[in-house]
Amino acid sequence: MTQISQADADARHVKRSDYQSCTVAFIDCKKPGSHLKQNYSIIGPGVTSSTEQVINLPEAHGFNIGAAAMPTGITNNLHIHFTAEVFMVYEGEYTFRWGSNGENEFVGRPGDILSIPTWIFRGFTNTGEGEGWVFTTLGGDNTGGVIFHPDIIREAADYGLYISKNNVLIDSQNGDPVPTEDQCIAPMADDDVAKLRSYTPEEMRERVVTTDDRDFRPAFIDMALEGCGAEIAPVIGHGITQNRDHTARIRNPHGFSMEWLRLQPGQSVSAFTLSEKMVVIPREGGVRLALNETGDVSVDLGAWDTCSVPSGVLRSLQNVSAAPVEVLVVVSGDQQKRPRFRSDVIEAAFAHGYALDAQGYVASAHLIPNYGMVAE
Ligand SMILES: [Fe+2]
């Protein structure tokens, strides 16, 4: 089993206060109405175009996690992504728009998650009363950057901003030489825009998991044990749940899975390992992550902190607060994840009548035959 030191665990715990914004990340950063947008790169660079962007945890995870914060009325303009772009609203009200001219919209509120398909234009505006905060998860280590809407690229030139072919922002008002046309990403032609797929609001609704849509069910083999019984609500793909009745609403390949984990006060998930990297982002504070066989290393997660647990490390999660907590769990890969619980947990679960079937899902122990036809 992989051991982790306290120093390594602390380095992988990015506190909310460690997030560092960049206001010159994108080509629309000088456009009135977009200039107050703050971009964060928490895990991986995301799609930033700025060399000034601080990346808290540059290590490759198979996905990128970042955030956008903006005051009321500020807009992130229409652009295309090549890999999954998932929005997790943590604060405020965001109106997401999509389509060739942003003609469709969905209003997201705290706890809502929306996955916008690749190769369509999308943007969003803080339409709430105050500050807003939306985390984003992007598929892949290399997202390939973005393509901004042709109108945005043309308008940016009025402010001396250009985007180079390798996705770096050129600011001629800041001393950069004005690039030639063939050094820049050209505005997408009308013909190409017309060929992009359109999604109706009804189709997009299938790619949204609101707080009310969530289907929380007991998720792990330890569900009958004292102080256990944590619940999961799947959001995207195949995650760590061991409940065979769980199905995520959003199922096309993203390169990662996403689930909500809900813990009641005092409740724990028993120690388990995973082969993949696992990132957790609690909505509320008061979650303790204990690591290694003896739990000798631990991290106390505050609300909105991001923490990455490496593969192979034994980890348990406990709600040490007096209120229920919800934790977003993001794990790399599209495959079903297979948590491996300690043998004492498996034995205690068996004593309560539960065992894991051959697919790794919880079942009544008395129904599982001892199938002896497999070569050891
Ligand atoms: Fe984006």
Side-chain angles (χ1 to χ4, degrees):
M1 207 162 302
T2 310
Q3 297 292 307
I4 190 168
S5 69
Q6 186 66 53
D8 284 349
D10 289 341
R12 304 180 75 88
H13 175 203
V14 188
K15 297 192 182 80
R16 183 176 172 183
S17 56
D18 296 333
Y19 300 159
Q20 291 199 44
S21 73
C22 176
T23 52
V24 290
F26 300 109
I27 196 165
D28 61 350
C29 65
K30 292 189 181 180
K31 179 178 165 64
S34 300
H35 58 298
L36 297 173
K37 185 178 64 187
Q38 298 190 306
N39 186 66
Y40 296 83
S41 296
I42 301 167
I43 292 180
V47 290
T48 185
S49 299
S50 172
T51 51
E52 294 171 25
Q53 181 85 55
V54 172
I55 304 165
N56 294 107
L57 209 52
E59 177 188 303
H61 278 64
F63 53 84
N64 286 251
I65 291 183
M70 44 226 242
T72 301
I74 297 294
T75 289
N76 175 308
N77 291 286
L78 294 174
H79 61 281
I80 283 174
H81 280 250
F82 311 116
T83 67
E85 182 175 42
V86 175
F87 298 98
M88 304 95 84
V89 181
Y90 268 52
E91 182 179 66
E93 178 193 284
Y94 280 93
T95 299
F96 298 94
R97 298 179 316 285
W98 70 92
S100 297
N101 291 298
E103 58 273 24
N104 304 289
E105 61 180 54
F106 171 81
V107 178
R109 299 195 168 81
D112 294 350
I113 296 177
L114 165 63
S115 173
I116 298 194
T118 59
W119 282 102
I120 64 169
F121 283 109
R122 83 287 311 271
F124 52 92
T125 301
N126 176 349
T127 47
E129 297 283 305
E131 288 290 317
W133 184 274
V134 60
F135 282 102
T136 53
T137 305
L138 307 178
D141 290 318
N142 180 358
T143 61
V146 292
I147 303 174
F148 269 92
H149 193 276
D151 293 346
I152 299 297
I153 295 181
R154 286 187 201 102
E155 188 180 341
D158 297 342
Y159 306 105
L161 285 178
Y162 307 87
I163 191 83
S164 76
K165 285 212 157 120
N166 56 350
N167 197 47
V168 175
L169 205 55
I170 299 165
D171 184 351
S172 66
Q173 291 178 349
N174 200 23
D176 295 337
V178 174
T180 59
E181 233 172 66
D182 59 355
Q183 290 173 320
C184 296
I185 293 179
M188 192 184 272
D190 292 348
D191 274 5
D192 290 321
V193 173
K195 285 178 194 153
L196 299 175
R197 194 189 151 172
S198 62
Y199 280 80
T200 65
E202 293 71 30
E203 287 172 315
M204 194 64 80
R205 185 64 186 81
E206 293 302 307
R207 303 183 61 89
V208 176
V209 177
T210 67
T211 51
D212 289 343
D213 290 336
R214 300 178 302 176
D215 177 22
F216 279 106
R217 298 174 192 229
F220 301 109
I221 184 67
D222 67 356
M223 60 175 69
L225 307 187
E226 181 74 27
C228 300
E231 296 168 300
I232 273 187
V235 179
I236 296 170
H238 306 293
I240 62 174
T241 180
Q242 295 180 317
N243 188 320
R244 65 177 183 266
D245 296 329
H246 264 150
T247 308
R249 182 193 277 252
I250 307 164
R251 292 187 292 274
N252 69 307
H254 279 58
F256 54 87
S257 58
M258 188 175 283
E259 295 159 295
W260 284 112
L261 170 70
R262 185 162 69 189
L263 293 164
Q264 300 301 323
Q267 201 170 41
S268 295
V269 180
S270 304
F272 66 95
T273 63
L274 273 185
S275 303
E276 301 86 359
K277 292 182 185 181
M278 177 180 105
V279 171
V280 290
I281 311 177
R283 282 180 81 186
E284 301 87 9
V287 178
R288 181 164 298 153
L289 188 58
L291 303 165
N292 296 336
E293 188 74 34
T294 58
D296 58 323
V297 166
S298 68
V299 174
D300 282 311
L301 301 175
W304 305 14
D305 287 0
T306 300
C307 190
S308 164
V309 183
S311 63
V313 171
L314 204 57
R315 82 289 309 263
S316 66
L317 289 123
Q318 185 177 22
N319 178 359
V320 293
S321 79
V325 293
E326 292 177 1
V327 183
L328 195 73
V329 180
V330 184
V331 181
S332 57
D334 288 313
Q335 71 284 3
Q336 177 197 343
K337 316 308 183 311
R338 300 273 194 137
R340 289 183 299 281
F341 284 85
R342 276 200 326 224
S343 56
D344 58 311
V345 175
I346 299 293
E347 283 161 23
F350 189 80
H352 283 83
Y354 291 107
L356 293 173
D357 67 14
Q359 177 82 17
Y361 290 126
V362 178
S364 295
H366 73 276
L367 294 176
I368 298 180
N370 185 6
Y371 184 69
M373 304 295 281
V374 181
E376 288 291 324

